[in-house]
Amino acid sequence: MSSYDVIVIGSGPGGYVCAIRCAQLGLKTACVEGRETLGGTCLNIGCIPSKALLHASHMLHEAEHNFEKMGLKGGAPKVDWKAMLAYKSDVIGQNTKGIEFLFKKNKVDWLKGWGSIPEPGKVKVGDAVHAAKHIVVATGSDSTSIPGVTVDEKIVVSSTGALELGKIPKKMVVIGAGVIGLEMGSVYARLGAEVTVVEFLDKVTPGMDGEVQKVFQRTLSKQGLTFIMGAAVQKVETTKTKAKVTYKLRKDDSEATLDADTVLVATGRKPYTDGLGLEALGVAMSERGQVKTDAHWATNVSGIYAIGDAIAGPMLAHKAEDEGMAVAETIAGQKGHVNYGVIPGVIYTHPEVASVGKTEEELKDEGRGFKVGKFSFMGNGRAKANFAGDGFVKILADKTTDRILGAHIIGPMAGDLIHEICVAMEFGAAAEDLARTCHAHPTYSEAVREAALACGDGPIHS
Ligand code: NAD
């Protein structure tokens, strides 16, 4: 029986980062992974492959819509779907092999197989039982469906099947206007599918700043996505090649149907802890199937910790990574910490959408005095040159102290721009601090500075 200081179960962004940090802090560490490649959902069937398809389809969109305007003639390229999928697989391979390399470099053992915890201090992988002073559950999440809808990963697909379709569908119905639905819906709309999104609520991407929600939906509609809002999908019936989606409008209970070649079910994910044996160990779980932890990611069973999608909080790879590093530091006797108030969220459509901190709606609910500084990308020279003037940066700052409380961006490179504001918020900065920081010209980042200026004496370029 081999014995370790730490065994991490799961090699997604939470697990592999945790394992590497544990090893860097001098702890003898192993990571259990049953997939043939490391990296979990994010690298194999989530963030990374979807970004490859988003990038390729965005390039096509640019060629179709903007190339001629820049004097680039010759027409848009044809789509070779098989080659695009091969590009996506190559990107996955490069990333997953990268983690393998990092494990070797940091002397993290990869225990290949599916792990379970037969008793505290032990992890079983296949027939082997390993001892561990500390066990970190980082087993992530799995997609869920809704009553009346069975995912077959052929006609009715989850986010996993949506990355591997045999061909580009002519008609696609997306159930759920959350992050997955809109990212993958965008991909197939750009590739020529007629995409209809059916959403239960009246607004897209629940929890996002209301103004961004409105502009985001409008922008995607302009790109050809059709939205049926306030509609609950009741059932999906399939033949060998087609599907019929029945939904009910919440306002008047009327029912209608949609035909599709492919239906993407994007109605959320649930924590994945199957087969670990947590119930038998008496590990406390929430009603939603999340492992309950204290502020230091410890469960109620001594020596067992949990992080990432398996516990409460936003199901985001970077939230899991931060928890992975922090729990490693905690186990090593340091003071691991995650600032849950400054976790950015990004949607990788075009334009991108990014947010951090409080929304305007949350601040109103809290009754907090705040001011809004807004700047449109139309006033940004770089954005205009790049046909990227749609969208805006919005900064919310405390009315009295000017401290930044939140920021919401829809526009070019929003997912990168948001981090300037994250750093500012980590340092407790005021909007004026951003406004007085010199920003290179011409960059998209100037729009962030202008929004910060808009919290004070006003922006220059609007
Ligand atoms: P989600 O929770 O973001 O959105 C699901 C949507 O489905 C909601 O708007 C909900 O109202 C709707 N819905 C539920 N039941 C319905 C019904 N019967 N009919 C119509 N609509 C219905 O879920 P998701 O998009 O599946 O994403 C899952 C998780 O993965 C999220 O936590 C998300 O943050 C995460 N994720 C993040 C990224 C990213 O950060 N870029 C990418 C992919 C996934």
Side-chain angles (χ1 to χ4, degrees):
M1 182 169 76
S2 46
S3 97
Y4 292 93
D5 292 317
V6 185
I7 296 183
V8 182
I9 307 180
S11 74
Y16 84 72
V17 167
C18 178
I20 290 172
R21 182 55 105 224
C22 285
Q24 288 172 340
L25 295 173
L27 300 164
K28 189 175 180 224
T29 308
C31 182
V32 185
E33 177 55 64
R35 259 182 226 278
E36 288 184 10
T37 47
L38 297 171
T41 299
C42 175
L43 272 70
N44 289 282
I45 49 166
C47 327
I48 296 296
S50 63
K51 258 80 270 174
L53 294 183
L54 278 157
H55 179 63
S57 60
H58 175 56
M59 292 291 107
L60 176 69
H61 184 268
E62 285 292 285
E64 284 170 344
H65 294 88
N66 292 328
F67 273 21
E68 274 212 29
K69 295 184 207 160
M70 293 185 276
L72 298 169
K73 302 245 174 195
K78 284 209 170 63
V79 176
D80 180 341
W81 179 234
K82 274 205 178 123
M84 199 180 282
L85 290 180
Y87 149 67
K88 179 211 69 177
S89 299
D90 184 51
V91 171
I92 296 171
Q94 287 179 38
N95 280 276
T96 56
K97 283 198 190 79
I99 309 300
E100 226 176 306
F101 164 78
L102 291 174
F103 272 12
K104 281 191 189 127
K105 184 178 163 198
N106 288 286
K107 303 196 170 41
V108 173
D109 288 347
W110 174 5
L111 305 177
K112 292 184 186 179
W114 301 104
S116 60
I117 311 172
E119 57 183 284
K122 300 263 160 46
V123 174
K124 190 166 183 274
V125 185
D127 293 331
V129 177
H130 307 270
K133 284 186 208 137
H134 307 274
I135 299 168
V136 180
V137 173
T139 45
S141 60
D142 201 0
S143 45
T144 50
S145 190
I146 48 173
V149 183
T150 308
V151 171
D152 59 24
E153 297 297 14
K154 287 188 181 90
I155 308 275
V156 184
V157 297
S158 69
S159 55
T160 307
L163 296 165
E164 286 287 349
L165 295 183
K167 59 178 184 198
I168 297 164
K170 283 205 174 73
K171 281 188 182 183
M172 180 178 218
V173 169
V174 175
I175 310 176
V179 186
I180 293 179
L182 298 186
E183 285 187 354
M184 292 314 295
S186 285
V187 165
Y188 286 104
R190 289 174 200 159
L191 294 175
E194 203 180 285
V195 176
T196 305
V197 182
V198 185
E199 165 57 47
F200 181 78
L201 300 172
D202 297 321
K203 290 176 179 163
V204 300
T205 52
M208 189 180 281
D209 188 89
E211 208 175 349
V212 174
Q213 285 176 321
K214 257 192 230 157
V215 174
F216 189 31
Q217 188 182 335
R218 204 188 307 141
T219 310
L220 292 176
S221 300
K222 269 202 260 166
Q223 291 174 14
L225 279 83
T226 303
F227 287 91
I228 300 175
M229 305 301 288
V233 169
Q234 306 292 301
K235 61 179 174 186
V236 177
E237 294 155 289
T238 53
T239 64
K240 260 191 174 163
T241 53
K242 300 258 175 228
K244 189 167 85 178
V245 179
T246 305
Y247 63 87
K248 192 185 254 188
L249 285 180
R250 290 198 295 135
K251 61 176 183 203
D252 57 10
D253 272 353
S254 61
E255 276 198 359
T257 60
L258 291 165
D259 292 327
D261 308 301
T262 302
V263 177
L264 166 61
V265 186
T267 50
R269 297 179 64 82
K270 60 172 189 302
Y272 180 76
T273 54
D274 293 1
L276 287 175
L278 298 183
E279 296 78 6
L281 291 166
V283 172
M285 312 283 282
S286 75
E287 276 174 13
R288 301 174 64 189
Q290 298 154 327
V291 181
K292 281 192 184 171
T293 58
D294 66 12
H296 306 288
W297 307 279
T299 69
N300 60 322
V301 176
S302 177
I304 302 181
Y305 305 79
I307 58 166
D309 285 11
I311 68 169
M315 288 183 162
L316 297 171
H318 44 280
K319 174 257 194 190
E321 288 182 36
D322 277 27
E323 289 174 341
M325 280 195 276
V327 77
E329 287 161 1
T330 305
I331 290 169
Q334 300 181 359
K335 299 263 179 273
H337 175 72
V338 174
N339 181 358
Y340 287 101
V342 186
I343 293 183
V346 179
I347 308 177
Y348 300 87
T349 45
H350 195 83
E352 287 185 350
V353 179
S355 64
V356 64
K358 302 278 183 183
T359 63
E360 212 174 318
E361 290 73 20
E362 282 171 332
L363 291 173
K364 277 182 191 149
D365 284 351
E366 287 173 14
R368 189 158 184 177
F370 67 96
K371 49 191 174 173
V372 182
K374 223 177 118 182
F375 187 76
S376 162
F377 279 101
M378 282 298 179
N380 179 275
R382 184 72 178 275
K384 268 201 261 196
N386 296 359
F387 305 107
D390 279 346
F392 57 83
V393 180
K394 170 167 157 182
I395 293 178
L396 306 169
D398 188 278
K399 195 166 187 175
T400 317
T401 65
D402 195 36
R403 188 178 176 144
I404 301 169
L405 304 172
H408 306 278
I409 308 178
I410 176 164
M413 304 294 284
D416 288 273
L417 297 181
I418 197 74
H419 294 99
E420 169 179 6
I421 302 164
C422 294
V423 173
M425 286 176 75
E426 278 289 350
F427 282 85
E432 189 181 346
D433 293 317
L434 270 188
R436 289 191 183 275
T437 304
C438 183
H439 283 62
H441 176 73
T443 58
Y444 296 136
S445 298
E446 288 174 289
V448 174
R449 184 198 202 172
E450 294 267 16
L453 280 165
C455 289
D457 293 335
I460 302 295
H461 295 93
S462 75

